[in-house]
């Protein structure tokens, strides 16, 4: 068949096709724009949906956090919280040369503080840091340079509240929170039931937040949580490591490592204890101690409590059944007068009991007892919850199951059931309504003494309650051998502390004191923590105090160790400690004198003001600095008059020390600094210069305004001091921890290796090279080596650090001691110093 070619059809088709394709080409930009617009609209709708969902997520976090404090049944967290702070760690300058070294020197000089010279770094005995206003960091600042943080402190110091507050600030997107991200708060109990090889690592996060999310967001909550972690915007806050035994801590830390591997860029803060942070140091976490409340913070807390109690609690109908109320101002005055360096938990419970009128005694332990009685269900004997606490500690199972509780409380459960059965029989034939019987655990969960987690785990609402109850039970039962045989963990030591408060701890104290002394003197200091709560006539008290006095007098000890001995003695509530410190003021050892002065300030020893005032003229700078701090801490008229005279008549360095110390006294010290900064008589330039160093420690708006004015002072000595401090403090705070760089990316180590004629390989362990730097490097390199070795413990490392502790270089000696302290906290067994021929 032959095909006939139609020319006309061909050309018509060609013309139509050309027109079509021409029009299509002409419309291509418009089509692309339309498609792009559609994509943008879809993305905008998606982002809007995510934004709305993220708002819902933040609301869920706020609801989760507002009851996460001891008085959560009374007040919301934001109403009563004292914003938390961390004790700033010592500055670790990086080795530098030339212009960089000069710049670093200027920054460090600007951040110098009187306490950095006088006050040893004692994160486990932080009371002096609070009293003398050592430098502190906010949680947001501590994260600023990229390091993950381990917030460390004893039970009741406020770690849970700190994490909850920070999560809430982040949810509200305030400057005090984590910038640009979302903080997810978990308890360690939330992850313990998760299989170690679990694929869904974020399951505990979802399970924790879902109950707090509103219905319209709940179904998509998991999707958003995953997105936040994938976008590297997540901050994971893990609470509760401090209440777990070592095995539980290690499991929880492995979970953190798995999260870090699955979601790189996730930032982390973990709450831990001083007894076991194994895995956190190796994971690059910077351990920072929680800052205790100072005088103004305690006063602010009591003021808020008073206002909230009068506004809300007394307005409730059930409040009419409370005993007749005493004037709140008188209650707060008594609480401030009898502070006794209470932890936030102890002060909260004492305040609550005093306002409620049910306080059972004047000791810190009595406040805990009062609160537990308040939480005790009707018809449940106190001995039942003591047994539960003791079993949790003896079994090292502070996070337990329902089966555990039934086994531990079987006797009490049966006794309560029998009593209720008899009561029901007595009521038979009467019209009384008989309530259905509930299990003992259900009752404890209802009152809030116990808390149930989404994964079926149960724990005490606060670990200190478990340890306190265990201590009371242990005081009447023969379980000391079982406790002493346990590994180092918070539950063991806190239980023994309360055993010493309620029972005969003679044999336990003797067992601790008989242990071979390590370089940290941990057995002695552990027993010293019991002194505050122990009976005054306990026979072992004298032995502990004699040992403390002997150790604080040892000149070869690092100041950080001697300072712990002084703190322990001062906080022991033992008559005669003040006389011990006064006697030591006449020694030739300047370090012992300065530490004894700090101890007298911690005691508030008003009778010692004349002797302390005399030491303002001591030739040692650290002695007159400590004397100035001590006098301000005592704060009576005689002490402040002595300081005023020294400020006017002393030499320049003494004037600076006095001005810095006066910054610690808002009522009288701040007006004195303001007056000194504004003095304009001939010869007043030294006063104004001294005021510069005091004003920089005040951290209030009026003080900063005065510093701005002093930058233009007519006298160059004043002007230069103000300018140097303001310029140096404009740089990054050198106290903020930084992530540890890999050796191959560490400039100072590369320089040292080059001097040794070697290099740094990413495939080889750099520890031998760093040990060489510790032994043969320059002063700054030795300090940097100590920082690296702290995260890489081994017996060889510890041996070299022991040598450094006995160095003539004070900075190296203190840094090495601190490194050994954190290595021991990580669970590494410290060999005895005698093994290396050391004392």
């Amino acid at each position: 068949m032959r095909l006939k070619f139609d020319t006309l059809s061909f050309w018509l088709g060609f013309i139509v096709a050309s027109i079509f394709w021409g029009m299509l080409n002409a419309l291509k930009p418009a089509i692309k724009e339309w498609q792009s617009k559609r994509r943008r609209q879809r993305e905008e709708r998606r982002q809007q949906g995510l934004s709305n969902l993220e708002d819902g997520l933040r609301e869920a976090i706020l609801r989760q956090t507002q009851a996460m404090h001891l008085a959560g049944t009374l007040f919301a967290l934001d109403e009563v919280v004292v914003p938390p702070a961390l004790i700033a760690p010592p500055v670790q300058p990086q080795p530098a040369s030339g212009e960089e070294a000069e710049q670093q020197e200027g920054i460090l000089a600007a951040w110098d503080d009187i306490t950095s010279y006088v006050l040893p770094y004692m994160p486990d005995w932080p009371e002096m840091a609070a009293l003398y206003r050592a430098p502190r960091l906010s949680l947001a600042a501590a994260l600023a340079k990229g390091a993950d943080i381990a917030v460390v402190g004893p039970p009741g110091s406020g770690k849970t509240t700190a994490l909850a507050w920070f999560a809430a600030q982040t949810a509200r997107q305030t400057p005090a929170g984590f910038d640009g991200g979302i903080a997810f708060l978990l308890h360690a109990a939330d992850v313990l039931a998760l299989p170690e090889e679990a694929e869904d690592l974020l399951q505990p996060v979802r399970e924790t937040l879902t109950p707090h999310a509103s219905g319209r967001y709940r179904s998509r909550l998991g999707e958003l949580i995953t997105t936040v972690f994938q976008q590297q915007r997540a901050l994971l806050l893990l609470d509760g490591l401090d209440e777990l035994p070592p095995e539980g801590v290690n499991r929880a830390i492995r979970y953190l490592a798995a999260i870090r591997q699955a979601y790189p860029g996730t930032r982390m803060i973990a709450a831990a204890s001083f007894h076991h942070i194994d895995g956190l140091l190796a994971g690059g976490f910077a351990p920072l101690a929680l800052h205790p409340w100072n005088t103004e913070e305690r006063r602010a807390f009591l003021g808020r409590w008073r206002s909230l109690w009068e506004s809300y609690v007394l307005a409730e109908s059930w409040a009419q059944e409370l005993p007749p109320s005493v004037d709140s101002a008188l209650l707060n005055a008594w609480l401030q007068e009898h502070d006794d360096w209470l932890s936030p938990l102890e002060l909260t419970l004492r305040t609550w009991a005093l306002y409620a009128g049910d306080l059972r005694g004047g000791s810190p332990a009595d406040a805990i007892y009062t609160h537990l009685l308040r939480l005790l269900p009707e018809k449940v004997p106190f001995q039942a919850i003591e047994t539960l606490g003791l079993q949790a500690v003896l079994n090292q199972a502070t996070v337990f199951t329902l089966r555990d509780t039934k086994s531990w409380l079987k006797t009490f459960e049966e006794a309560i059931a029998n009593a209720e059965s008899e009561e029901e029989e007595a009521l038979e034939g009467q019209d009384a309504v008989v309530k259905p019987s509930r299990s003992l655990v259900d009752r404890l969960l209802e009152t809030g003494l116990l808390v149930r987690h989404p994964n079926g785990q149960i724990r005490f609402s606060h670990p200190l309650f478990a340890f306190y109850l265990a201590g009371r039970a242990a005081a009447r039962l023969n379980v000391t051998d079982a406790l002493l045989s346990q590994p180092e963990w918070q539950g063991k030591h806190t239980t023994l502390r309360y055993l010493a408060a309620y029972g005969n701890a003679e044999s336990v104290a003797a067992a601790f004191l008989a242990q071979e002394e390590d370089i940290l003197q941990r057995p002695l200091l552990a027993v010293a923590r019991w002194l505050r709560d122990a009976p005054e006539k306990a026979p072992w008290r004298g032995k502990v105090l004699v040992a403390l006095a002997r150790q604080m007098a040892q000149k070869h000890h690092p100041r950080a160790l001697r300072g712990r001995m002084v703190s322990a003695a001062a906080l022991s509530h033992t008559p005669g400690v003040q006389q011990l410190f006064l006697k030591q003021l006449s020694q030739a050892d300047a370090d012992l004198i300065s530490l004894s002065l700090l101890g007298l300030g911690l005691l508030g020893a008003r009778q010692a003001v004349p002797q302390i005032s005399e030491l303002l003229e001591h030739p040692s700078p650290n002695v007159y600095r400590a004397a100035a701090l001590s006098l301000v801490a005592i704060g009576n008229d005689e002490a402040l008059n002595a300081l005023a005279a020294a400020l006017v008549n002393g030499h320049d360095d003494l004037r600076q020390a006095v001005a810095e110390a006066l910054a610690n006294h808002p009522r009288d010290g701040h007006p004195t600094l303001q007056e000194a900064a504004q003095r304009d008589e001939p010869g007043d330039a030294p006063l104004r210069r001294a005021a510069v160093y005091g004003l920089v420690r005040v951290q209030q708006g009026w003080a900063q305004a005065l510093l701005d004015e002093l930058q233009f002072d007519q006298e160059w000595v004043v002007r230069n001091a103000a300018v140097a401090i303001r310029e140096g403090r404009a740089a990054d705070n050198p106290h903020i921890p930084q992530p540890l760089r890999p050796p191959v990316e560490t400039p100072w180590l590369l320089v040292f290796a080059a001097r040794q004629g070697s290099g740094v390989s990413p495939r080889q362990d750099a520890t031998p090279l760093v040990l060489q730097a510790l032994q043969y490097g320059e002063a700054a390199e030795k300090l940097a080596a100590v920082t690296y070795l702290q995260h890489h413990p081994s017996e060889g490392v510890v041996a070299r650090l022991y040598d450094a502790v006995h160095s003539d270089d004070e900075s190296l000696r203190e840094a090495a001691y601190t490194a050994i302290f954190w290595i021991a906290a990580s669970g590494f067994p410290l060999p005895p110093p005698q093994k290396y021929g050391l004392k």
Side-chain angles (χ1 to χ4, degrees):
M1 179 178 178
R2 296 184 62 184
L3 294 175
K4 184 177 179 181
F5 180 77
D6 190 336
T7 305
L8 178 60
S9 298
F10 170 78
W11 286 111
L12 284 174
F14 177 78
I15 292 169
V16 171
S18 299
I19 293 171
F20 173 78
W21 288 111
M23 291 176 63
L24 188 61
N25 285 331
L27 290 173
K28 268 187 178 180
I31 294 172
K32 287 182 177 180
E33 177 62 26
W34 176 78
Q35 291 174 332
S36 178
K37 184 177 181 179
R38 289 290 303 274
R39 284 194 297 269
R40 285 198 304 272
Q41 289 174 341
R42 285 197 301 268
E43 181 62 22
E44 286 172 3
R45 285 195 297 269
R46 193 182 76 86
Q47 290 296 335
Q48 182 64 39
L50 286 176
S51 178
N52 293 338
L53 189 58
E54 186 167 309
D55 290 341
L57 176 58
R58 293 180 185 277
E59 290 172 7
I61 292 171
L62 286 173
R63 281 191 286 270
Q64 175 198 14
T65 59
Q66 289 308 296
M68 292 187 66
H69 63 109
L70 277 172
T73 56
L74 297 179
F75 316 123
L77 174 69
D78 288 344
E79 293 178 312
V80 74
V81 70
V82 174
L86 305 167
I87 299 175
V91 173
Q92 296 293 344
Q94 292 299 306
S97 58
E99 184 177 340
E100 184 182 355
E102 291 180 9
Q103 182 181 13
Q104 184 181 106
E105 185 177 346
I107 293 172
L108 296 180
W111 286 92
D112 266 350
D113 184 278
I114 184 173
T115 60
S116 62
Y117 293 105
V118 180
L119 195 64
Y121 179 58
M122 303 181 293
D124 53 330
W125 291 83
E127 292 81 3
M128 280 192 183
L131 178 66
Y132 297 118
R133 314 294 177 96
R136 53 202 289 172
L137 296 173
S138 68
L139 285 164
L143 292 168
K145 294 185 180 179
D148 292 328
I149 304 300
V151 178
V152 192
S157 58
K159 297 185 294 298
T160 298
T161 301
L163 296 187
W165 175 85
F166 194 56
Q169 294 301 308
T170 302
R172 287 197 173 93
Q173 303 181 72
T174 71
F178 178 56
D179 187 24
I182 296 180
F184 299 97
L185 178 53
L186 283 181
H187 191 277
D190 297 323
V191 305
L192 290 184
L194 192 70
E196 297 233 19
E197 303 300 325
E199 295 183 3
D200 187 3
L201 294 172
L202 299 181
Q203 177 185 340
V205 181
R206 286 195 304 276
E207 289 181 342
T208 299
L209 278 178
T210 296
H212 303 283
S214 60
R216 58 176 176 160
Y217 297 124
R218 195 167 293 173
S219 62
R220 296 188 61 197
L221 196 65
E223 172 192 349
L224 179 60
I225 290 171
T226 302
T227 300
V228 172
F229 274 85
Q230 290 172 342
Q231 292 175 344
Q232 301 187 7
R233 297 173 51 229
L235 170 66
L236 185 60
L237 309 176
L238 185 63
D239 190 25
L241 291 181
D242 56 324
E243 60 193 86
L244 299 180
E247 181 182 352
V249 174
N250 295 339
R251 281 191 59 193
I253 292 176
R254 288 196 295 272
Y255 171 78
L256 294 180
I259 286 283
R260 185 177 281 169
Q261 183 176 4
Y263 301 100
T266 300
R267 301 297 304 280
M268 297 180 181
I269 301 179
S273 79
F274 291 105
H275 294 287
H276 192 81
I277 56 173
D278 189 18
L280 291 177
L281 281 184
F285 283 72
L288 299 177
L290 203 60
H291 201 293
W293 290 349
N294 59 33
T295 303
E296 283 67 45
E297 288 167 330
R298 291 194 290 271
R299 186 178 295 118
F301 168 78
L302 293 174
R304 289 173 193 168
W305 188 281
R306 173 187 177 184
S307 176
L308 292 166
W309 189 272
E310 292 175 348
S311 299
Y312 298 118
V313 177
L314 295 184
E316 296 286 341
S317 58
W318 56 263
Q320 307 309 314
E321 301 176 8
L322 293 176
S325 59
V326 180
D327 185 355
S328 301
L330 294 177
L331 295 179
N332 283 2
W334 185 87
L335 287 164
Q336 291 174 44
E337 182 68 23
H338 297 81
D339 178 79
D340 299 329
W341 284 104
L342 302 181
S343 69
L345 177 142
E346 291 166 337
L347 181 58
T348 298
L349 296 187
R350 177 181 281 186
T351 304
W352 190 343
L354 198 62
Y355 272 71
D358 59 356
L359 184 60
R360 295 301 183 104
S363 74
D366 289 331
I368 301 173
Y369 177 63
T370 301
H371 186 69
L372 290 173
L373 284 177
R374 197 182 296 126
L375 296 177
L376 189 67
E378 186 180 0
K379 301 178 183 177
V380 175
F382 198 84
Q383 191 174 348
I385 59 175
E386 285 182 347
T387 300
L388 182 59
L390 182 61
Q391 289 296 331
V393 170
L394 289 179
N395 289 280
Q396 299 180 56
T398 47
V399 178
F400 40 86
T401 65
L402 183 60
R403 179 180 297 178
D404 293 329
T405 59
K406 288 183 176 180
S407 170
W408 298 339
L409 299 176
K410 182 178 179 180
T411 302
F412 296 98
E413 192 87 61
E414 292 174 350
I416 293 171
N418 291 336
E420 290 184 342
S421 177
E422 292 175 3
E423 182 179 343
E424 289 178 20
E425 291 177 3
L427 292 173
E428 283 184 4
Q430 302 182 24
D431 294 333
V433 177
V434 178
K435 296 181 180 179
S437 179
R438 293 165 299 149
S439 73
L440 179 51
V441 174
D442 286 337
R443 301 180 196 203
L444 296 175
L445 288 165
E446 287 176 8
T447 65
L449 181 58
L450 298 182
V451 176
R452 193 195 303 272
H453 284 261
N455 52 31
Q457 303 290 303
I458 300 173
R459 64 179 177 89
F460 279 87
S461 57
H462 197 286
L464 194 66
F465 298 160
F467 305 152
Y468 169 86
L469 292 166
R472 283 181 63 105
R476 54 185 171 76
L477 300 172
N478 185 22
V479 295
T480 53
D481 289 343
L483 288 169
L484 289 172
S485 65
Q486 289 188 343
E488 299 299 298
W489 71 293
Q490 188 70 63
K492 167 186 175 178
H493 285 276
T494 311
T495 296
L496 290 173
R497 175 180 173 180
Y498 288 112
L499 182 156
Y502 288 101
N504 183 0
E506 178 75 21
S507 62
V508 188
F512 268 77
L513 297 178
Q515 292 180 29
E516 188 174 19
E517 294 180 350
D518 64 16
I519 199 167
L520 302 176
Q521 297 290 331
R522 285 179 292 174
L524 172 58
L525 289 170
V527 178
R529 269 297 181 196
W530 308 348
L531 292 172
R532 187 198 68 172
D533 301 300
E536 289 185 8
K537 296 183 179 180
W540 53 270
R541 291 181 66 100
K543 300 174 185 176
V544 176
L545 288 163
V546 168
L548 291 174
R550 184 176 65 249
Q551 294 298 333
M552 72 177 71
Q554 299 298 318
K555 293 186 68 172
H556 66 275
H557 281 339
R559 294 186 75 250
L561 176 56
R562 302 173 81 182
R564 284 168 166 85
M565 302 296 168
V566 169
S567 288
L571 296 169
S572 68
H573 290 188
T574 303
V577 171
Q578 180 174 318
Q579 293 303 315
L580 170 65
F581 291 155
L582 284 171
K583 181 179 179 181
Q584 290 175 165
L585 297 184
S586 61
Q587 301 296 314
D589 183 351
D591 278 345
L592 182 60
I593 296 173
S594 65
L595 291 171
S596 298
L597 288 167
L598 296 177
L600 289 167
L602 200 55
L603 289 171
R606 297 187 176 189
Q607 303 88 339
V609 167
Q611 295 94 317
I612 299 173
S613 300
E614 292 177 2
L615 291 171
L616 290 171
E617 300 178 1
H618 195 279
S620 169
N622 275 358
V623 170
Y624 60 70
R625 288 169 180 152
L629 287 170
S630 181
L631 289 171
V632 167
I634 294 169
N636 62 1
D637 289 343
E638 184 182 6
L640 295 173
N641 289 337
L643 289 168
L647 183 64
V648 173
N649 303 314
H651 55 81
D652 286 349
D653 288 344
L654 176 58
R655 283 173 164 166
Q656 177 179 331
V658 170
E660 289 188 79
L662 287 171
N664 291 351
H665 202 289
R667 190 192 66 201
D668 296 311
H670 290 183
T672 300
L673 291 174
Q674 187 172 11
E675 180 185 353
Q678 295 173 331
R679 288 276 292 266
D680 198 20
E681 298 295 325
D684 284 339
L687 267 180
R688 295 198 300 278
R689 177 184 178 277
V692 167
Y693 295 96
L695 291 172
V696 77
R697 298 189 74 233
V698 172
Q699 297 297 311
Q700 293 182 16
W702 64 267
Q704 302 308 305
L706 276 177
L707 278 175
D708 289 338
E709 293 177 13
L710 291 172
Q711 291 183 88
F712 303 98
D713 194 272
Q714 58 187 353
E715 297 289 343
W716 69 269
V717 292
V718 181
R719 191 167 58 247
N720 284 5
V723 169
I725 284 181
R726 293 307 292 266
E727 288 182 351
R729 296 228 167 186
D732 287 339
N733 186 340
H735 290 284
I736 296 174
Q738 301 183 48
L740 197 65
R741 292 182 178 182
V744 73
E745 298 175 15
T746 306
W748 75 264
L749 189 59
L750 297 173
V751 171
F752 176 80
R755 287 207 314 267
Q756 304 303 308
S758 62
V760 180
S761 170
R763 293 181 296 275
Q764 290 183 339
D765 181 13
T767 302
L769 181 63
V770 179
L771 287 172
Q772 289 184 41
L774 177 61
Q775 189 169 4
Y776 304 113
E778 299 174 356
E781 291 172 336
K782 290 182 178 181
L783 291 174
V786 168
T787 302
Y788 176 88
L789 294 172
Q790 173 180 305
H791 295 271
H792 298 82
S794 67
E795 187 167 331
V797 164
V798 172
R800 297 287 74 78
L801 289 173
Y802 280 178
D803 290 337
V805 165
H806 292 80
S807 165
D808 293 332
D809 183 336
E810 181 178 351
S811 296
L812 179 61
R813 187 165 63 244
E814 299 301 319
Y817 181 87
T818 298
I820 294 170
F821 171 82
W822 289 122
I823 287 173
S826 73
F828 188 86
L830 296 182
Q834 295 82 354
K835 181 175 180 179
Y836 308 104
L838 303 171
K839 294 182 180 180

